[in-house]
mmCIF file with all atom_site columns, all heavy atoms in Angstrom:
data_model
loop_
_atom_site.group_PDB
_atom_site.id
_atom_site.type_symbol
_atom_site.label_atom_id
_atom_site.label_alt_id
_atom_site.label_comp_id
_atom_site.label_asym_id
_atom_site.label_entity_id
_atom_site.label_seq_id
_atom_site.pdbx_PDB_ins_code
_atom_site.Cartn_x
_atom_site.Cartn_y
_atom_site.Cartn_z
_atom_site.occupancy
_atom_site.B_iso_or_equiv
_atom_site.pdbx_formal_charge
_atom_site.auth_seq_id
_atom_site.auth_comp_id
_atom_site.auth_asym_id
_atom_site.auth_atom_id
_atom_site.pdbx_PDB_model_num
ATOM 1   N N   . ASP A 1 610 ? 2.764   25.285 -84.480  1.00 65.00 ? 610 ASP A N   1
ATOM 2   C CA  . ASP A 1 610 ? 3.825   26.155 -84.968  1.00 65.00 ? 610 ASP A CA  1
ATOM 3   C C   . ASP A 1 610 ? 3.632   26.468 -86.454  1.00 65.00 ? 610 ASP A C   1
ATOM 4   O O   . ASP A 1 610 ? 3.145   25.631 -87.230  1.00 65.00 ? 610 ASP A O   1
ATOM 5   C CB  . ASP A 1 610 ? 5.198   25.499 -84.804  1.00 65.00 ? 610 ASP A CB  1
ATOM 6   C CG  . ASP A 1 610 ? 5.542   25.352 -83.321  1.00 65.00 ? 610 ASP A CG  1
ATOM 7   O OD1 . ASP A 1 610 ? 5.020   26.154 -82.522  1.00 65.00 ? 610 ASP A OD1 1
ATOM 8   O OD2 . ASP A 1 610 ? 6.366   24.469 -82.984  1.00 65.00 ? 610 ASP A OD2 1
ATOM 9   N N   . VAL A 1 611 ? 3.970   27.676 -86.816  1.00 64.00 ? 611 VAL A N   1
ATOM 10  C CA  . VAL A 1 611 ? 3.858   28.056 -88.239  1.00 64.00 ? 611 VAL A CA  1
ATOM 11  C C   . VAL A 1 611 ? 5.035   27.440 -88.995  1.00 64.00 ? 611 VAL A C   1
ATOM 12  O O   . VAL A 1 611 ? 6.187   27.575 -88.574  1.00 64.00 ? 611 VAL A O   1
ATOM 13  C CB  . VAL A 1 611 ? 3.954   29.617 -88.383  1.00 64.00 ? 611 VAL A CB  1
ATOM 14  C CG1 . VAL A 1 611 ? 3.918   30.010 -89.829  1.00 64.00 ? 611 VAL A CG1 1
ATOM 15  C CG2 . VAL A 1 611 ? 2.738   30.229 -87.641  1.00 64.00 ? 611 VAL A CG2 1
ATOM 16  N N   . PRO A 1 612 ? 4.776   26.728 -90.088  1.00 63.00 ? 612 PRO A N   1
ATOM 17  C CA  . PRO A 1 612 ? 5.854   26.064 -90.825  1.00 63.00 ? 612 PRO A CA  1
ATOM 18  C C   . PRO A 1 612 ? 6.826   27.086 -91.438  1.00 63.00 ? 612 PRO A C   1
ATOM 19  O O   . PRO A 1 612 ? 6.475   28.207 -91.743  1.00 63.00 ? 612 PRO A O   1
ATOM 20  C CB  . PRO A 1 612 ? 5.138   25.286 -91.919  1.00 63.00 ? 612 PRO A CB  1
ATOM 21  C CG  . PRO A 1 612 ? 3.815   25.970 -92.072  1.00 63.00 ? 612 PRO A CG  1
ATOM 22  C CD  . PRO A 1 612 ? 3.469   26.483 -90.716  1.00 63.00 ? 612 PRO A CD  1
ATOM 23  N N   . GLU A 1 613 ? 8.095   26.626 -91.572  1.00 60.00 ? 613 GLU A N   1
ATOM 24  C CA  . GLU A 1 613 ? 9.139   27.477 -92.173  1.00 60.00 ? 613 GLU A CA  1
ATOM 25  C C   . GLU A 1 613 ? 8.796   27.769 -93.625  1.00 60.00 ? 613 GLU A C   1
ATOM 26  O O   . GLU A 1 613 ? 8.347   26.873 -94.352  1.00 60.00 ? 613 GLU A O   1
ATOM 27  C CB  . GLU A 1 613 ? 10.494  26.784 -92.088  1.00 60.00 ? 613 GLU A CB  1
ATOM 28  C CG  . GLU A 1 613 ? 11.035  26.651 -90.685  1.00 60.00 ? 613 GLU A CG  1
ATOM 29  C CD  . GLU A 1 613 ? 11.751  27.923 -90.232  1.00 60.00 ? 613 GLU A CD  1
ATOM 30  O OE1 . GLU A 1 613 ? 11.939  28.821 -91.071  1.00 60.00 ? 613 GLU A OE1 1
ATOM 31  O OE2 . GLU A 1 613 ? 12.098  28.020 -89.051  1.00 60.00 ? 613 GLU A OE2 1
ATOM 32  N N   . GLN A 1 614 ? 9.037   29.015 -94.089  1.00 61.00 ? 614 GLN A N   1
ATOM 33  C CA  . GLN A 1 614 ? 8.919   29.370 -95.499  1.00 61.00 ? 614 GLN A CA  1
ATOM 34  C C   . GLN A 1 614 ? 10.113  30.220 -95.874  1.00 61.00 ? 614 GLN A C   1
ATOM 35  O O   . GLN A 1 614 ? 10.481  31.145 -95.105  1.00 61.00 ? 614 GLN A O   1
ATOM 36  C CB  . GLN A 1 614 ? 7.634   30.157 -95.741  1.00 61.00 ? 614 GLN A CB  1
ATOM 37  C CG  . GLN A 1 614 ? 6.399   29.302 -95.818  1.00 61.00 ? 614 GLN A CG  1
ATOM 38  C CD  . GLN A 1 614 ? 5.190   30.126 -96.225  1.00 61.00 ? 614 GLN A CD  1
ATOM 39  O OE1 . GLN A 1 614 ? 4.170   30.040 -95.563  1.00 61.00 ? 614 GLN A OE1 1
ATOM 40  N NE2 . GLN A 1 614 ? 5.291   30.907 -97.269  1.00 61.00 ? 614 GLN A NE2 1
ATOM 41  N N   . GLU A 1 615 ? 10.699  29.939 -97.009  1.00 56.00 ? 615 GLU A N   1
ATOM 42  C CA  . GLU A 1 615 ? 11.837  30.746 -97.430  1.00 56.00 ? 615 GLU A CA  1
ATOM 43  C C   . GLU A 1 615 ? 11.422  32.176 -97.758  1.00 56.00 ? 615 GLU A C   1
ATOM 44  O O   . GLU A 1 615 ? 12.088  33.120 -97.432  1.00 56.00 ? 615 GLU A O   1
ATOM 45  C CB  . GLU A 1 615 ? 12.536  30.114 -98.644  1.00 56.00 ? 615 GLU A CB  1
ATOM 46  C CG  . GLU A 1 615 ? 13.241  28.827 -98.322  1.00 56.00 ? 615 GLU A CG  1
ATOM 47  C CD  . GLU A 1 615 ? 14.027  28.308 -99.532  1.00 56.00 ? 615 GLU A CD  1
ATOM 48  O OE1 . GLU A 1 615 ? 14.029  29.006 -100.558 1.00 56.00 ? 615 GLU A OE1 1
ATOM 49  O OE2 . GLU A 1 615 ? 14.623  27.231 -99.420  1.00 56.00 ? 615 GLU A OE2 1
ATOM 50  N N   . GLU A 1 616 ? 10.258  32.316 -98.427  1.00 70.00 ? 616 GLU A N   1
ATOM 51  C CA  . GLU A 1 616 ? 9.793   33.645 -98.839  1.00 70.00 ? 616 GLU A CA  1
ATOM 52  C C   . GLU A 1 616 ? 8.317   33.787 -98.484  1.00 70.00 ? 616 GLU A C   1
ATOM 53  O O   . GLU A 1 616 ? 7.533   32.845 -98.647  1.00 70.00 ? 616 GLU A O   1
ATOM 54  C CB  . GLU A 1 616 ? 10.008  33.875 -100.331 1.00 70.00 ? 616 GLU A CB  1
ATOM 55  C CG  . GLU A 1 616 ? 11.435  34.091 -100.731 1.00 70.00 ? 616 GLU A CG  1
ATOM 56  C CD  . GLU A 1 616 ? 11.559  34.555 -102.169 1.00 70.00 ? 616 GLU A CD  1
ATOM 57  O OE1 . GLU A 1 616 ? 10.551  35.027 -102.730 1.00 70.00 ? 616 GLU A OE1 1
ATOM 58  O OE2 . GLU A 1 616 ? 12.654  34.440 -102.717 1.00 70.00 ? 616 GLU A OE2 1
ATOM 59  N N   . ARG A 1 617 ? 7.968   34.952 -98.045  1.00 79.00 ? 617 ARG A N   1
ATOM 60  C CA  . ARG A 1 617 ? 6.552   35.288 -97.785  1.00 79.00 ? 617 ARG A CA  1
ATOM 61  C C   . ARG A 1 617 ? 6.227   36.569 -98.512  1.00 79.00 ? 617 ARG A C   1
ATOM 62  O O   . ARG A 1 617 ? 7.087   37.424 -98.722  1.00 79.00 ? 617 ARG A O   1
ATOM 63  C CB  . ARG A 1 617 ? 6.295   35.474 -96.267  1.00 79.00 ? 617 ARG A CB  1
ATOM 64  C CG  . ARG A 1 617 ? 6.401   34.189 -95.497  1.00 79.00 ? 617 ARG A CG  1
ATOM 65  C CD  . ARG A 1 617 ? 6.110   34.415 -94.016  1.00 79.00 ? 617 ARG A CD  1
ATOM 66  N NE  . ARG A 1 617 ? 6.233   33.194 -93.258  1.00 79.00 ? 617 ARG A NE  1
ATOM 67  C CZ  . ARG A 1 617 ? 5.250   32.330 -93.044  1.00 79.00 ? 617 ARG A CZ  1
ATOM 68  N NH1 . ARG A 1 617 ? 4.040   32.563 -93.559  1.00 79.00 ? 617 ARG A NH1 1
ATOM 69  N NH2 . ARG A 1 617 ? 5.432   31.229 -92.337  1.00 79.00 ? 617 ARG A NH2 1
ATOM 70  N N   . ASP A 1 618 ? 4.961   36.719 -98.845  1.00 83.00 ? 618 ASP A N   1
ATOM 71  C CA  . ASP A 1 618 ? 4.545   37.956 -99.507  1.00 83.00 ? 618 ASP A CA  1
ATOM 72  C C   . ASP A 1 618 ? 4.644   39.123 -98.529  1.00 83.00 ? 618 ASP A C   1
ATOM 73  O O   . ASP A 1 618 ? 4.446   38.959 -97.318  1.00 83.00 ? 618 ASP A O   1
ATOM 74  C CB  . ASP A 1 618 ? 3.093   37.838 -99.998  1.00 83.00 ? 618 ASP A CB  1
ATOM 75  C CG  . ASP A 1 618 ? 2.954   36.846 -101.133 1.00 83.00 ? 618 ASP A CG  1
ATOM 76  O OD1 . ASP A 1 618 ? 3.977   36.573 -101.814 1.00 83.00 ? 618 ASP A OD1 1
ATOM 77  O OD2 . ASP A 1 618 ? 1.853   36.297 -101.325 1.00 83.00 ? 618 ASP A OD2 1
ATOM 78  N N   . VAL A 1 619 ? 4.926   40.311 -99.063  1.00 89.00 ? 619 VAL A N   1
ATOM 79  C CA  . VAL A 1 619 ? 4.940   41.499 -98.249  1.00 89.00 ? 619 VAL A CA  1
ATOM 80  C C   . VAL A 1 619 ? 3.473   41.970 -98.052  1.00 89.00 ? 619 VAL A C   1
ATOM 81  O O   . VAL A 1 619 ? 2.726   42.056 -99.016  1.00 89.00 ? 619 VAL A O   1
ATOM 82  C CB  . VAL A 1 619 ? 5.740   42.639 -98.912  1.00 89.00 ? 619 VAL A CB  1
ATOM 83  C CG1 . VAL A 1 619 ? 5.633   43.926 -98.101  1.00 89.00 ? 619 VAL A CG1 1
ATOM 84  C CG2 . VAL A 1 619 ? 7.192   42.226 -99.036  1.00 89.00 ? 619 VAL A CG2 1
ATOM 85  N N   . LEU A 1 620 ? 3.091   42.196 -96.791  1.00 91.00 ? 620 LEU A N   1
ATOM 86  C CA  . LEU A 1 620 ? 1.728   42.587 -96.466  1.00 91.00 ? 620 LEU A CA  1
ATOM 87  C C   . LEU A 1 620 ? 1.722   44.000 -95.905  1.00 91.00 ? 620 LEU A C   1
ATOM 88  O O   . LEU A 1 620 ? 2.728   44.513 -95.435  1.00 91.00 ? 620 LEU A O   1
ATOM 89  C CB  . LEU A 1 620 ? 1.143   41.616 -95.415  1.00 91.00 ? 620 LEU A CB  1
ATOM 90  C CG  . LEU A 1 620 ? 1.250   40.145 -95.749  1.00 91.00 ? 620 LEU A CG  1
ATOM 91  C CD1 . LEU A 1 620 ? 0.755   39.302 -94.586  1.00 91.00 ? 620 LEU A CD1 1
ATOM 92  C CD2 . LEU A 1 620 ? 0.438   39.807 -97.006  1.00 91.00 ? 620 LEU A CD2 1
ATOM 93  N N   . VAL A 1 621 ? 0.563   44.638 -95.953  1.00 91.00 ? 621 VAL A N   1
ATOM 94  C CA  . VAL A 1 621 ? 0.381   45.986 -95.398  1.00 91.00 ? 621 VAL A CA  1
ATOM 95  C C   . VAL A 1 621 ? -0.201  45.818 -93.979  1.00 91.00 ? 621 VAL A C   1
ATOM 96  O O   . VAL A 1 621 ? -1.286  45.275 -93.836  1.00 91.00 ? 621 VAL A O   1
ATOM 97  C CB  . VAL A 1 621 ? -0.557  46.853 -96.247  1.00 91.00 ? 621 VAL A CB  1
ATOM 98  C CG1 . VAL A 1 621 ? -0.761  48.198 -95.590  1.00 91.00 ? 621 VAL A CG1 1
ATOM 99  C CG2 . VAL A 1 621 ? 0.013   47.012 -97.656  1.00 91.00 ? 621 VAL A CG2 1
ATOM 100 N N   . PRO A 1 622 ? 0.500   46.272 -92.926  1.00 91.00 ? 622 PRO A N   1
ATOM 101 C CA  . PRO A 1 622 ? -0.038  46.127 -91.559  1.00 91.00 ? 622 PRO A CA  1
ATOM 102 C C   . PRO A 1 622 ? -1.195  47.070 -91.326  1.00 91.00 ? 622 PRO A C   1
ATOM 103 O O   . PRO A 1 622 ? -1.120  48.265 -91.636  1.00 91.00 ? 622 PRO A O   1
ATOM 104 C CB  . PRO A 1 622 ? 1.149   46.470 -90.674  1.00 91.00 ? 622 PRO A CB  1
ATOM 105 C CG  . PRO A 1 622 ? 2.008   47.325 -91.500  1.00 91.00 ? 622 PRO A CG  1
ATOM 106 C CD  . PRO A 1 622 ? 1.819   46.904 -92.926  1.00 91.00 ? 622 PRO A CD  1
ATOM 107 N N   . VAL A 1 623 ? -2.310  46.558 -90.795  1.00 91.00 ? 623 VAL A N   1
ATOM 108 C CA  . VAL A 1 623 ? -3.481  47.353 -90.449  1.00 91.00 ? 623 VAL A CA  1
ATOM 109 C C   . VAL A 1 623 ? -3.802  47.098 -88.980  1.00 91.00 ? 623 VAL A C   1
ATOM 110 O O   . VAL A 1 623 ? -4.079  45.947 -88.587  1.00 91.00 ? 623 VAL A O   1
ATOM 111 C CB  . VAL A 1 623 ? -4.685  46.987 -91.326  1.00 91.00 ? 623 VAL A CB  1
ATOM 112 C CG1 . VAL A 1 623 ? -5.926  47.819 -90.944  1.00 91.00 ? 623 VAL A CG1 1
ATOM 113 C CG2 . VAL A 1 623 ? -4.358  47.203 -92.818  1.00 91.00 ? 623 VAL A CG2 1
ATOM 114 N N   . PHE A 1 624 ? -3.770  48.125 -88.159  1.00 92.00 ? 624 PHE A N   1
ATOM 115 C CA  . PHE A 1 624 ? -3.947  47.945 -86.702  1.00 92.00 ? 624 PHE A CA  1
ATOM 116 C C   . PHE A 1 624 ? -5.405  48.158 -86.332  1.00 92.00 ? 624 PHE A C   1
ATOM 117 O O   . PHE A 1 624 ? -5.983  49.205 -86.600  1.00 92.00 ? 624 PHE A O   1
ATOM 118 C CB  . PHE A 1 624 ? -3.074  48.967 -85.949  1.00 92.00 ? 624 PHE A CB  1
ATOM 119 C CG  . PHE A 1 624 ? -1.601  48.682 -86.014  1.00 92.00 ? 624 PHE A CG  1
ATOM 120 C CD1 . PHE A 1 624 ? -0.850  49.086 -87.121  1.00 92.00 ? 624 PHE A CD1 1
ATOM 121 C CD2 . PHE A 1 624 ? -0.973  47.968 -85.011  1.00 92.00 ? 624 PHE A CD2 1
ATOM 122 C CE1 . PHE A 1 624 ? 0.499   48.823 -87.198  1.00 92.00 ? 624 PHE A CE1 1
ATOM 123 C CE2 . PHE A 1 624 ? 0.392   47.701 -85.085  1.00 92.00 ? 624 PHE A CE2 1
ATOM 124 C CZ  . PHE A 1 624 ? 1.129   48.101 -86.172  1.00 92.00 ? 624 PHE A CZ  1
ATOM 125 N N   . ALA A 1 625 ? -5.960  47.152 -85.707  1.00 89.00 ? 625 ALA A N   1
ATOM 126 C CA  . ALA A 1 625 ? -7.312  47.274 -85.171  1.00 89.00 ? 625 ALA A CA  1
ATOM 127 C C   . ALA A 1 625 ? -7.328  48.204 -83.980  1.00 89.00 ? 625 ALA A C   1
ATOM 128 O O   . ALA A 1 625 ? -6.288  48.451 -83.334  1.00 89.00 ? 625 ALA A O   1
ATOM 129 C CB  . ALA A 1 625 ? -7.843  45.916 -84.788  1.00 89.00 ? 625 ALA A CB  1
ATOM 130 N N   . THR A 1 626 ? -8.498  48.727 -83.648  1.00 87.00 ? 626 THR A N   1
ATOM 131 C CA  . THR A 1 626 ? -8.608  49.661 -82.489  1.00 87.00 ? 626 THR A CA  1
ATOM 132 C C   . THR A 1 626 ? -8.123  48.959 -81.215  1.00 87.00 ? 626 THR A C   1
ATOM 133 O O   . THR A 1 626 ? -7.439  49.568 -80.400  1.00 87.00 ? 626 THR A O   1
ATOM 134 C CB  . THR A 1 626 ? -10.062 50.118 -82.332  1.00 87.00 ? 626 THR A CB  1
ATOM 135 O OG1 . THR A 1 626 ? -10.492 50.781 -83.535  1.00 87.00 ? 626 THR A OG1 1
ATOM 136 C CG2 . THR A 1 626 ? -10.190 51.084 -81.175  1.00 87.00 ? 626 THR A CG2 1
ATOM 137 N N   . ALA A 1 627 ? -8.479  47.705 -81.048  1.00 86.00 ? 627 ALA A N   1
ATOM 138 C CA  . ALA A 1 627 ? -8.060  46.984 -79.840  1.00 86.00 ? 627 ALA A CA  1
ATOM 139 C C   . ALA A 1 627 ? -6.535  46.877 -79.771  1.00 86.00 ? 627 ALA A C   1
ATOM 140 O O   . ALA A 1 627 ? -5.939  46.975 -78.693  1.00 86.00 ? 627 ALA A O   1
ATOM 141 C CB  . ALA A 1 627 ? -8.684  45.597 -79.802  1.00 86.00 ? 627 ALA A CB  1
ATOM 142 N N   . ALA A 1 628 ? -5.897  46.680 -80.937  1.00 89.00 ? 628 ALA A N   1
ATOM 143 C CA  . ALA A 1 628 ? -4.432  46.607 -80.951  1.00 89.00 ? 628 ALA A CA  1
ATOM 144 C C   . ALA A 1 628 ? -3.800  47.938 -80.573  1.00 89.00 ? 628 ALA A C   1
ATOM 145 O O   . ALA A 1 628 ? -2.835  47.996 -79.799  1.00 89.00 ? 628 ALA A O   1
ATOM 146 C CB  . ALA A 1 628 ? -3.961  46.177 -82.344  1.00 89.00 ? 628 ALA A CB  1
#
Side-chain angles (χ1 to χ4, degrees):
D610 292 336
V611 176
E613 291 276 352
Q614 280 186 230
E615 290 186 3
E616 287 190 18
R617 292 181 181 272
D618 292 337
V619 175
L620 308 174
V621 177
V623 179
F624 289 83
T626 301

